[in-house]
Amino acid sequence: RSTSGADAEYYLRFSLADQPGVMAAVATVLGQHAISINRMHQYGHDGEIAPVLIVTHKTSRTKLDKALTEISGMGTSLAEPVAIRIETV
């Protein structure tokens, strides 16, 4: 993961446990790392895994990596989070 470069928006994809409070915990961790959510979507699903997409406002990759490491360690992210930098052209 690159930690250099200018701040950018990021597309994040999570596979979260479908339990009360999990999305709030993810949002809290992002906020604790000064990462603001631009928009979020949770797709309809059956089962115990909730697919969640988040687009952040501009942030540094360093802050994002720290937040994703913390989220991965919570035990409610059932797969490695995906983070894709959104480039402005």
Side-chain angles (χ1 to χ4, degrees):
R1 295 180 187 179
S2 172
T3 56
S4 62
D7 288 359
E9 293 181 339
Y10 286 87
Y11 165 93
L12 309 176
R13 186 180 72 215
F14 297 95
S15 295
L16 301 175
D18 189 12
Q19 300 170 352
V22 172
M23 189 62 234
V26 169
T28 296
V29 170
L30 292 173
Q32 289 170 338
H33 289 275
I35 299 169
S36 180
I37 295 172
N38 182 332
R39 57 190 175 273
M40 188 274 301
H41 185 78
Q42 180 177 334
Y43 288 96
H45 59 283
D46 293 322
E48 299 176 2
I49 299 173
V52 175
L53 304 177
I54 294 174
V55 175
T56 70
H57 286 283
K58 287 186 177 184
T59 190
S60 73
R61 186 62 199 225
T62 301
K63 289 179 185 177
L64 183 62
D65 284 345
K66 289 177 182 177
L68 293 178
T69 297
E70 188 172 335
I71 291 166
S72 293
M74 293 189 320
T76 54
S77 184
L78 305 176
E80 186 71 23
V82 173
I84 300 171
R85 181 184 175 97
I86 298 173
E87 297 289 341
T88 304
V89 292

